[in-house]
Amino acid sequence: MTPDERAAQVAEIDAAIAELDEALGETSLRGHLTPKERDERPRRKRSTRRRQDSPDLPRLPVDPRTVGRAYSGRAGKTYRPSMLVTLTLDSHGPVHSHLRRGAYVAACECGTRHGPHDDLLGTPVDPAGYDYRRAALDAIHFARVLDRWWQNVRRAAGWNVQYAGAVELQRRLAPHAHFAIRGTLPRRLLKQIAAATYHQVWWPPFNEPVYRVDKPPVWDVDRQAYIDPKTREPLPTWGEALDALEEPDSRPAYVARLGRIDARGIEQGTKDAERSIRYVTKYVTKDLTDQARPRSDPQKAHFDRLHAELSVLPCSPTCANWLLYGVQPDGVKAGLTPGRCTGKVHQRSTLGFTGRRVLVSRQWSGKTLADHRADNRAWVRAILAGGMADTEEHDQAADDADGSKRYRFELARPEDPDVPPLEHRLLRAISARIRWRTDLDTARLRTAAVAPSSDQPAALAA
């Protein structure tokens, strides 16, 4: 094109854009077609090559089965044992412990034999030498380490290992997890997997804070960024800080690893099986810090020291604490206060752990989502004693074996004459839910009232 033709075409494009803006302005649309904060740079990719300081793991093709190997006994009986696995973090320093060896109580590292209810249990032997920073970082990234652990287990075991368990806090306030596994694995393999499991945190360095909590960077309205209070220069953005990690010699900001692992076999119908089930499920209804709630002055001091370390560490790319280390958080905005991030990591009720406390694999029960829904419907009908079985909604959702033959389903379209408006469908669904919940609560109260009356004759006879 000649310069005149190019200028004429640009003018036509500008006019078309103006007409489109006017047309969009007459509609009820709001916002921008392309978000202003969208990052147009390509997605960052990290190498999946294993670290040189971690042992290699055997890698087998994953078989689709979800249960372990079955063993045949002498009498022809088939056994399929399970396992109870406990995963803990590495030591952050010696702590006062109650070491029991059968009927004998061994001495702690401090030289004292502590009782099971000693006020010093779980506190550091040397508080000045205890690595609180590493303890806090391990607690923050413990959930990611668990995810990596189960990935490595399935790759090394060669079958789709299923698990169910819960996470709790030890007396030293470090998270650890108890899992039941449907099947057995060699203990040597489990220890090898634990030694080779790690999680690399590819964040900007945050070893030493650049600013103090009482003198953080300030927000500049004109630049829409946080600036140094002395030099008045803006801090590096989150994208610029990550660009520095693209160098070949760059290292992760932190590497979280597992520590000790304890595995024991479980046979069906034994006392160990019942004890293991109670041991895993007793933490489901409890708060994370119930077992480790401080009850003495040394325990409170240990609790406060760990929480103080968690309050100034970054918990995510959007955490306000990045301002203390000279980096603007991702999606920066005004009003961020370092040291007062609202993330769950910094709360006293979690002490760094933010993952799900109860962890159950998707195929643990061997049932599909339709099977679970059918079980829920059967349970509700049993509670209501048929009170909801005659409704139209439940007749259509009957879970008979030949349900696929009784009904024929097709996707309804908005223009169909027998489809009510969306507002009516929403109100009808809300009304049905309220009615079902009321009926269920009434049935529960009726069941609770009948149970004491049925026990009364036996009490009088006694």
Side-chain angles (χ1 to χ4, degrees), residues 91-121:
S91 175
H92 307 116
V95 296
H96 297 282
S97 306
H98 172 64
L99 305 175
R100 191 177 184 86
R101 302 290 186 266
Y104 175 75
V105 178
C108 178
E109 291 199 15
C110 64
T112 306
R113 291 182 175 86
H114 298 287
H117 305 289
D118 197 325
D119 293 341
L120 290 176
L121 292 180

Side-chain angles (χ1 to χ4, degrees), residues 46 51 200 202 242-253:
R46 299 293 178 187
R51 295 177 58 90
Q200 299 184 115
W202 287 99
L242 292 184
D243 290 340
L245 299 178
E246 300 296 334
E247 300 297 331
D249 58 344
S250 39
R251 299 179 179 180

